[in-house]
Amino acid sequence: MFAACCDGRMCVCPGPRRIGFPGRSCSPSLLLDAMSVPTQLLFPRIRNCDLGRICSSVCHCHHNPLCCRSRFPPFKPPRCRLNGNFASAFHRAKEQCVQLRQYVTTPQRFYLTPPQVNSILKANEYSFKVPEFDGKNISSILGFDSNQLPANAPIEDRRSAATCLQTRGMLLGVFDGHAGCACAQAVSERLFYYIAVSLLPQETLLEIEHAVENGRALLPILQWHKHPNDYFSKEASKLYFNSLRTYWQELIDLNTGETTDVKEALINSFKRLDNDLSLEAQVGDPNSFLNYWVLRVAFSGATACVAHVDGVDLHIANTGDSRALLGVQEEDGSWSAVTMSHDHNAQNESEVQRLKSEHPKSEEKSVVKQDRLLGLLMPFRAFGDVKFKWSIDLQKRVVESGPDQLNDNEYTKFIPPNYHTPPYLSAEPEVIYHKLRPKDKFLILATDGLWETMHRQDVVRIVGEHLTGVHHQQPIAVGGYKVTLGQMHGLLMERRARISSVFEDQNAATHLIRHAVGNNEFGAVDHERLSKMLSLPEELARMYRDDITIIVVQFNSHVVGAYQKQ
């Protein structure tokens, strides 16, 4: 598929037409054929028009006999040869051309076997079942499944799940990082502590503070449910603890004697953690590693979607464009989706208006440009991203006094255009409350890598059918495609095979990722497509999709029903 060219660069030769170097524009389909990947796989990460621009910057189409300059000397037949050398030379050159053309036009297809596909899909899966007590489930949660599929290297998504030990309830969240994974990492391991502390009664806060003062062991606040691959930054643990302790000391001092409201606790926790991330970066640290780490955390960013489940009380706190979705089973057995969060981006008109109202009218046209914040950032709410929060003077002062690695980073020196009245970005979450009903069967938390590939109704149906093992067959819809009788037979055989392998994935999040990456135009998992998508090299994977992180929480309908009767 690839051939070396005269100047050492590589060119792609998919067939009679060959893709070379900058100049004329090339057809997107040629590039895709060369990669043995169908055109529709690019959507929605890169559309055809975008691909055309990419191709035009790196290649051009031509119809020369060989790609760029032949590695063989050009053959110029003499006008006359009487001794037969002409014929032999001609045949040698022809054979060389045939050999080269066979080399550069033979497609190289790399397919993964089903076990290899499963190994990749299941590498990061995790499941947790809530333990029973005296034969009864005391929690409204049966358990949860989670999984991650990276597109970036390293993956920029994070996930967290923990049981609150000093209060009731469970916390679950997904975190989508950008400009690196540092901010998502810090938020994933710190935010739940801030929430748990915010929910603690005054007596417990005092008990914890006295234990610290006297050097006694602390009451455990959270029981984490983590995959072995989920990282904790041990080097920064002391710094994180000191910031958290300052927070609970302020909660003690501000005690009003009133019971903490969950919604208020969630909002305060998000805002306080984001403020601490900013403050730690401004103050710095004598330890060079920690100093660089806190700056990386602050200059990168992360969105967060967190659920707090306590009995029948479900709160969703969302900052950014990850989503929460409730799976509801109707009386007839069908599945419906209830949206539990709103995206904070240009597709949310109320969010656009909120942003414009917070800045002068002179910035009305520049604050949201090309569907991005200041023309740059897609989410309108996020942790970190101090490039959109600090004043220009503060940014320059921190960067100039920071370590050399930060000073050499062009991103940190870059000032967004039309930057007049910061902050433009906030980490304040939008909190939605829902009282669980027996027909509410599960909750899905997922980063935007899932929602870019699948409709919410399909997501709920796939998870619902997987958890119950009951498939409601719909007539096969082929849309505008012309389908032959043989193709229809193949679709029906695929459907039967899919039903027979319903228990192939024990993890609901894995099952959903399989569909998100491998679904074809008919809604069935295509192993060939799945294999291609999972075997893409690191530098190409991000062009086709984003990191995907999913948590599927399954509710105990009997316990929820008992709560309702009480």
Side-chain angles (χ1 to χ4, degrees), residues 290 324 390-391:
L290 284 181
W390 289 355
S391 68

Side-chain angles (χ1 to χ4, degrees), residues 40 54 117 136 181 189 194 225 268 328 346 349 360 388 390:
Q40 62 267 29
I54 293 172
V117 167
K136 288 186 177 181
C181 61
E189 57 181 295
Y194 280 70
H225 312 298
N268 291 340
V328 179
E349 186 59 33
F388 299 89
W390 289 355

Side-chain angles (χ1 to χ4, degrees), residues 471-504:
H471 289 251
H472 294 270
Q473 299 291 5
Q474 302 293 330
I476 292 180
V478 296
Y481 296 92
K482 293 182 179 180
V483 180
T484 65
L485 185 60
Q487 290 172 327
M488 182 59 74
H489 175 72
L491 290 172
L492 292 172
M493 294 300 291
E494 284 183 13
R495 168 179 281 189
R496 186 163 70 177
R498 190 164 71 251
I499 296 173
S500 64
S501 62
V502 64
F503 297 112
E504 179 180 8

Side-chain angles (χ1 to χ4, degrees), residues 67-137:
C67 185
C68 297
R69 187 181 302 167
S70 172
R71 57 178 176 169
F72 304 105
F75 175 72
K76 294 182 179 180
R79 291 181 180 272
C80 179
R81 289 289 180 104
L82 299 177
N83 57 4
N85 290 337
F86 169 81
S88 61
F90 177 82
H91 286 299
R92 283 197 302 273
K94 184 177 180 181
E95 289 173 358
Q96 289 173 336
C97 289
V98 170
Q99 291 172 359
L100 177 60
R101 189 167 297 183
Q102 287 176 346
Y103 168 70
V104 299
T105 60
T106 302
Q108 296 184 9
R109 298 179 181 273
F110 300 96
Y111 293 121
L112 302 173
T113 64
Q116 288 174 325
V117 167
N118 288 338
S119 177
I120 294 173
L121 290 179
K122 298 180 179 184
N124 297 308
E125 70 177 9
Y126 178 83
S127 295
F128 176 77
K129 301 301 179 185
V130 174
E132 294 185 348
F133 177 74
D134 289 340
K136 288 186 177 181
N137 253 317

Side-chain angles (χ1 to χ4, degrees), residues 20 48 71 228 272 313 343 365 400 424 501 553 561:
N48 285 339
R71 57 178 176 169
R272 177 55 183 247
D313 297 320
D343 292 353
K365 293 183 179 179
E400 290 172 359
Y424 291 91
S501 62
V553 186

Side-chain angles (χ1 to χ4, degrees), residues 339-356:
T339 301
M340 291 297 299
S341 66
H342 301 126
D343 292 353
H344 299 133
N345 54 29
Q347 280 63 55
N348 184 338
E349 186 59 33
S350 63
E351 188 69 4
V352 173
Q353 294 304 317
R354 176 195 66 81
L355 193 58
K356 290 181 177 180

